[in-house]
Amino acid sequence: MEYSDRHGKFSHDGTTNSICNFMGVICWNPDENRILGLSLGSLGLQGQFPRGLEHCTSLVRLDLSNNSLSGPIPSGISWQLPDLSSLNLSYNRFSGEIPVNISEMTYLYSIGLQLNKLTGSIPGKFALLSRLESFNVSDNLLSGPIPVALSKFSTSCFSGNQGLCGVPFDSCSTSYGDYSIGIIGAAVGFVVGFVGALYISHCLFFLRDAPALRLSHT
């Protein structure tokens, strides 16, 4: 990923005085090279999610929207950018599933993933994101039930995903319902069977020792 500097301040050897001078870079303090945010939308960026961001440990806001980035969203994004509060990857070509461990980024209040090629389901663990105020996954290839905790967001935040169901859309098809019922039924069956086996074993043990008990009382 490449970007040019904002003010054109270079030292005598041709290097920049501070990373804070680069376009789209927002620093906590102009005199320090501690990055607060990256606003790199609409710059024609290509390739995969930038690996070097894992070194930006002080990053709070990341905007890579409206570019041509592709490939998966890193599965380790939560430990690469643990303090992120705003994540905007919209209008790109990211593919694969939404990483479950985004749910570990507890400071997140805004997630923008719309207009990509993301597949799979919306992780149910996103319910852990208690500060989330803005969420958009529209126009992807997502499927499955929408987590109840996210049903507070409008229909437009989920539109364009033909496989999504549940609030704010219609209820999920019987296939999802049958799947859940099947899991519950299997669990109940296991418990009942286990308890029944213990009861029968206890009865057999008692009947086996009953003659000995009668003899001991005669």
Side-chain angles (χ1 to χ4, degrees), residues 13-80:
D13 60 1
T15 60
T16 57
N17 292 328
S18 171
I19 195 172
C20 302
N21 295 324
F22 283 90
M23 180 173 59
V25 177
I26 305 169
C27 288
W28 288 87
N29 187 313
D31 298 325
E32 299 179 5
N33 286 335
R34 293 181 63 242
I35 300 177
L36 169 68
L38 289 176
S39 182
L40 304 178
S42 304
L43 292 179
L45 303 179
Q46 299 181 4
Q48 296 191 341
F49 189 91
R51 293 183 178 180
L53 291 181
E54 63 185 76
H55 302 295
C56 300
T57 55
S58 59
L59 194 64
V60 173
R61 298 193 297 268
L62 177 61
D63 180 2
L64 298 175
S65 63
N66 199 28
N67 283 294
S68 298
L69 298 171
S70 59
I73 300 173
S75 59
I77 189 172
S78 64
W79 58 262
Q80 291 178 7

Side-chain angles (χ1 to χ4, degrees), residues 159-204:
S159 63
N161 294 280
Q162 295 184 357
L164 286 181
C165 60
V167 180
F169 296 132
D170 295 333
S171 59
C172 293
S173 64
T174 54
S175 60
Y176 292 110
D178 292 343
Y179 178 73
S180 300
I181 293 173
I183 293 176
I184 296 172
V188 172
F190 174 79
V191 172
V192 172
F194 181 72
V195 173
L198 286 177
Y199 177 76
I200 294 172
S201 299
H202 176 73
C203 291
L204 291 175

Side-chain angles (χ1 to χ4, degrees), residues 9-162:
K9 296 180 180 179
F10 292 85
S11 62
H12 294 295
D13 60 1
T15 60
T16 57
N17 292 328
S18 171
I19 195 172
C20 302
N21 295 324
F22 283 90
M23 180 173 59
V25 177
I26 305 169
C27 288
W28 288 87
N29 187 313
D31 298 325
E32 299 179 5
N33 286 335
R34 293 181 63 242
I35 300 177
L36 169 68
L38 289 176
S39 182
L40 304 178
S42 304
L43 292 179
L45 303 179
Q46 299 181 4
Q48 296 191 341
F49 189 91
R51 293 183 178 180
L53 291 181
E54 63 185 76
H55 302 295
C56 300
T57 55
S58 59
L59 194 64
V60 173
R61 298 193 297 268
L62 177 61
D63 180 2
L64 298 175
S65 63
N66 199 28
N67 283 294
S68 298
L69 298 171
S70 59
I73 300 173
S75 59
I77 189 172
S78 64
W79 58 262
Q80 291 178 7
L81 304 169
D83 298 327
L84 214 60
S85 62
S86 177
L87 175 65
N88 189 353
L89 304 180
S90 61
Y91 293 84
N92 277 287
R93 301 173 185 172
F94 287 112
S95 58
E97 297 188 354
I98 301 174
V100 176
N101 66 9
I102 286 181
S103 62
E104 300 173 7
M105 303 167 75
T106 55
Y107 295 109
L108 274 176
Y109 69 83
S110 176
I111 299 178
L113 301 176
Q114 65 268 33
L115 275 162
N116 279 285
K117 299 180 180 180
L118 299 171
T119 56
S121 60
I122 302 174
K125 286 189 175 182
F126 275 20
L128 299 175
L129 298 173
S130 59
R131 305 186 185 190
L132 202 59
E133 298 179 359
S134 175
F135 181 79
N136 197 327
V137 292
S138 61
D139 297 301
N140 277 283
L141 303 171
L142 300 172
S143 59
I146 296 172
V148 176
L150 301 179
S151 62
K152 63 181 180 180
F153 297 106
S154 66
T155 304
S156 61
C157 298
F158 304 96
S159 63
N161 294 280
Q162 295 184 357

